[in-house]
Coordinates of all heavy atoms in Angstrom, one line a residue:
T964 N 14.7 -10.3 -19.5 CA 14.6 -9.0 -19.5 C 13.1 -8.6 -20.3 O 12.3 -7.9 -19.7 CB 15.7 -8.2 -20.4 OG1 16.9 -8.4 -19.6 CG2 15.5 -6.7 -20.4
P965 N 12.9 -9.2 -21.5 CA 11.5 -9.1 -22.0 C 10.4 -9.5 -21.1 O 9.4 -8.9 -21.1 CB 11.7 -9.9 -23.3 CG 13.0 -9.9 -23.7 CD 13.7 -10.1 -22.4
A966 N 10.7 -10.7 -20.5 CA 9.6 -11.1 -19.4 C 9.4 -10.1 -18.3 O 8.2 -9.8 -17.8 CB 10.1 -12.5 -18.8
I967 N 10.4 -9.5 -17.8 CA 10.2 -8.4 -16.7 C 9.4 -7.3 -17.2 O 8.4 -6.9 -16.6 CB 11.6 -8.0 -16.3 CG1 12.3 -9.1 -15.6 CG2 11.5 -6.7 -15.5 CD1 13.8 -8.9 -15.1
Q968 N 9.7 -6.9 -18.5 CA 8.9 -5.7 -19.1 C 7.5 -6.1 -19.2 O 6.5 -5.3 -18.9 CB 9.5 -5.5 -20.3 CG 10.8 -4.8 -20.2 CD 11.6 -4.6 -21.6 OE1 11.2 -5.2 -22.6 NE2 12.7 -3.8 -21.6
L969 N 7.2 -7.4 -19.6 CA 5.8 -7.7 -19.8 C 5.1 -8.0 -18.5 O 3.9 -7.7 -18.4 CB 5.8 -9.1 -20.7 CG 6.1 -8.8 -22.3 CD1 6.5 -10.0 -22.9 CD2 4.9 -8.1 -23.0
F970 N 5.7 -8.5 -17.6 CA 5.1 -8.8 -16.1 C 4.7 -7.4 -15.6 O 3.8 -7.2 -15.1 CB 6.0 -9.6 -15.4 CG 6.0 -11.1 -15.6 CD1 7.3 -11.7 -15.6 CD2 4.9 -11.8 -15.6 CE1 7.3 -13.0 -15.9 CE2 4.8 -13.1 -15.9 CZ 6.1 -13.8 -16.0
E971 N 5.6 -6.4 -15.8 CA 5.5 -5.1 -15.5 C 4.3 -4.4 -16.0 O 3.3 -3.8 -15.4 CB 6.7 -4.1 -15.5 CG 7.7 -4.5 -14.6 CD 9.0 -3.6 -14.9 OE1 9.2 -3.3 -16.0 OE2 9.9 -3.6 -13.9
T972 N 4.0 -4.8 -17.4 CA 2.9 -4.3 -18.1 C 1.7 -4.9 -17.6 O 0.6 -4.1 -17.4 CB 3.0 -4.6 -19.6 OG1 4.2 -3.9 -20.1 CG2 1.8 -4.2 -20.4
A973 N 1.7 -6.2 -17.2 CA 0.6 -6.8 -16.7 C 0.0 -6.2 -15.4 O -1.2 -5.9 -15.1 CB 0.8 -8.3 -16.5
I974 N 1.1 -5.8 -14.5 CA 0.8 -5.2 -13.2 C 0.2 -3.8 -13.5 O -0.6 -3.4 -12.8 CB 2.0 -5.2 -12.4 CG1 2.4 -6.6 -12.0 CG2 1.9 -4.3 -11.1 CD1 3.8 -6.8 -11.4
Q975 N 0.6 -3.0 -14.4 CA 0.2 -1.7 -14.8 C -1.3 -1.8 -15.2 O -2.2 -1.0 -14.8 CB 1.0 -1.2 -15.8 CG 2.4 -0.7 -15.4 CD 3.2 -0.1 -16.6 OE1 2.9 -0.2 -17.7 NE2 4.5 0.1 -16.4
E976 N -1.6 -2.9 -16.0 CA -3.0 -3.1 -16.3 C -3.8 -3.4 -15.1 O -5.1 -3.1 -15.2 CB -3.1 -4.0 -17.5 CG -2.5 -3.6 -18.8 CD -3.1 -2.4 -19.4 OE1 -4.4 -2.3 -19.2 OE2 -2.5 -1.8 -20.3
N977 N -3.3 -4.3 -14.2 CA -4.1 -4.7 -13.2 C -3.2 -4.8 -11.9 O -2.5 -5.8 -11.8 CB -4.7 -6.1 -13.5 CG -5.6 -6.7 -12.4 OD1 -5.6 -6.0 -11.3 ND2 -6.3 -7.7 -12.5
P978 N -3.2 -3.8 -11.0 CA -2.2 -3.8 -9.9 C -2.5 -4.9 -8.8 O -1.7 -5.0 -8.0 CB -2.5 -2.4 -9.3 CG -3.0 -1.6 -10.5 CD -3.8 -2.5 -11.2
N979 N -3.7 -5.6 -9.0 CA -4.0 -6.6 -8.1 C -3.5 -8.0 -8.7 O -4.1 -9.0 -8.1 CB -5.4 -6.5 -7.7 CG -5.8 -5.4 -7.0 OD1 -5.0 -4.8 -6.2 ND2 -6.9 -4.7 -7.3
F980 N -2.9 -8.1 -9.7 CA -2.7 -9.4 -10.4 C -1.4 -10.1 -9.6 O -0.2 -9.8 -9.9 CB -2.1 -9.1 -11.8 CG -2.2 -10.4 -12.7 CD1 -2.3 -10.1 -14.1 CD2 -2.2 -11.6 -12.3 CE1 -2.2 -11.0 -15.0 CE2 -2.2 -12.5 -13.2 CZ -2.3 -12.5 -14.5
D981 N -1.7 -10.9 -8.6 CA -0.8 -11.3 -7.8 C 0.2 -12.2 -8.4 O 1.5 -12.1 -8.2 CB -1.5 -12.2 -6.5 CG -2.4 -13.2 -7.1 OD1 -2.7 -13.3 -8.3 OD2 -3.1 -13.9 -6.1
A982 N -0.1 -13.0 -9.3 CA 0.8 -13.9 -10.0 C 1.8 -13.3 -10.8 O 2.9 -13.7 -11.0 CB 0.1 -15.1 -10.9
A983 N 1.5 -12.2 -11.3 CA 2.4 -11.3 -12.1 C 3.6 -10.8 -11.2 O 4.6 -10.7 -11.6 CB 1.7 -10.1 -12.7
Y984 N 3.2 -10.5 -9.9 CA 4.2 -9.9 -9.0 C 5.2 -11.1 -8.6 O 6.4 -10.9 -8.6 CB 3.6 -9.5 -7.7 CG 3.0 -8.1 -7.7 CD1 1.6 -7.9 -7.9 CD2 3.8 -7.0 -7.8 CE1 1.1 -6.7 -7.9 CE2 3.3 -5.7 -8.0 CZ 1.9 -5.6 -7.9 OH 1.4 -4.4 -8.1
Y985 N 4.7 -12.3 -8.5 CA 5.5 -13.6 -8.3 C 6.4 -13.7 -9.4 O 7.7 -13.9 -9.1 CB 4.7 -14.7 -7.9 CG 5.5 -16.1 -7.8 CD1 5.9 -16.4 -6.4 CD2 5.7 -16.8 -8.7 CE1 6.6 -17.4 -6.4 CE2 6.4 -18.0 -8.6 CZ 7.0 -18.2 -7.3 OH 7.7 -19.4 -7.2
W986 N 5.9 -13.9 -10.6 CA 6.7 -14.2 -11.7 C 7.7 -13.0 -12.1 O 8.8 -13.2 -12.7 CB 6.0 -14.7 -12.9 CG 5.5 -16.1 -12.6 CD1 4.2 -16.4 -12.3 CD2 6.2 -17.2 -12.5 NE1 4.2 -17.8 -12.0 CE2 5.5 -18.3 -12.2 CE3 7.6 -17.5 -12.8 CZ2 6.0 -19.7 -12.2 CZ3 8.2 -18.8 -12.7 CH2 7.3 -19.9 -12.2
L987 N 7.2 -11.8 -11.8 CA 8.2 -10.6 -11.9 C 9.4 -10.8 -11.0 O 10.6 -10.7 -11.5 CB 7.4 -9.3 -11.7 CG 8.4 -8.1 -11.6 CD1 9.0 -7.9 -13.0 CD2 7.4 -6.9 -11.3
G988 N 9.1 -11.2 -9.8 CA 10.2 -11.3 -8.8 C 11.1 -12.5 -9.2 O 12.3 -12.4 -9.1
I989 N 10.5 -13.6 -9.7 CA 11.4 -14.7 -10.2 C 12.3 -14.3 -11.4 O 13.5 -14.6 -11.4 CB 10.5 -16.0 -10.4 CG1 9.8 -16.5 -9.1 CG2 11.5 -17.1 -11.0 CD1 10.6 -16.8 -7.9
S990 N 11.8 -13.6 -12.2 CA 12.5 -13.0 -13.5 C 13.5 -12.2 -13.0 O 14.7 -12.2 -13.6 CB 11.5 -12.5 -14.4 OG 10.4 -13.4 -14.9
Q991 N 13.3 -11.4 -12.2 CA 14.4 -10.3 -11.7 C 15.4 -11.1 -11.0 O 16.6 -10.8 -11.1 CB 13.6 -9.3 -10.8 CG 12.7 -8.3 -11.6 CD 11.8 -7.6 -10.6 OE1 11.5 -8.0 -9.5 NE2 11.4 -6.4 -11.1
L992 N 15.0 -12.2 -10.2 CA 16.0 -12.9 -9.6 C 16.9 -13.6 -10.5 O 18.2 -13.7 -10.3 CB 15.4 -13.9 -8.6 CG 16.2 -14.8 -7.7 CD1 17.0 -13.9 -6.7 CD2 15.3 -15.7 -6.9
K993 N 16.4 -14.2 -11.5 CA 17.1 -14.9 -12.5 C 17.9 -13.9 -13.3 O 19.0 -14.2 -13.9 CB 16.1 -15.5 -13.6 CG 15.3 -16.6 -13.2 CD 16.1 -18.0 -12.8 CE 15.3 -19.1 -12.4 NZ 16.1 -20.4 -12.2
N994 N 17.5 -12.7 -13.5 CA 18.2 -11.6 -14.2 C 19.3 -10.9 -13.3 O 20.1 -10.1 -13.8 CB 17.3 -10.5 -14.6 CG 17.6 -10.0 -16.0 OD1 18.3 -10.8 -16.9 ND2 17.4 -8.8 -16.3

């Protein structure tokens, strides 16, 4: 859950941050 929030923050700061979308998806899947 904290990981998801932080990956979302990274994406808010840089919407083109591709790796952040990947790990956000993996974290959401794990959750």
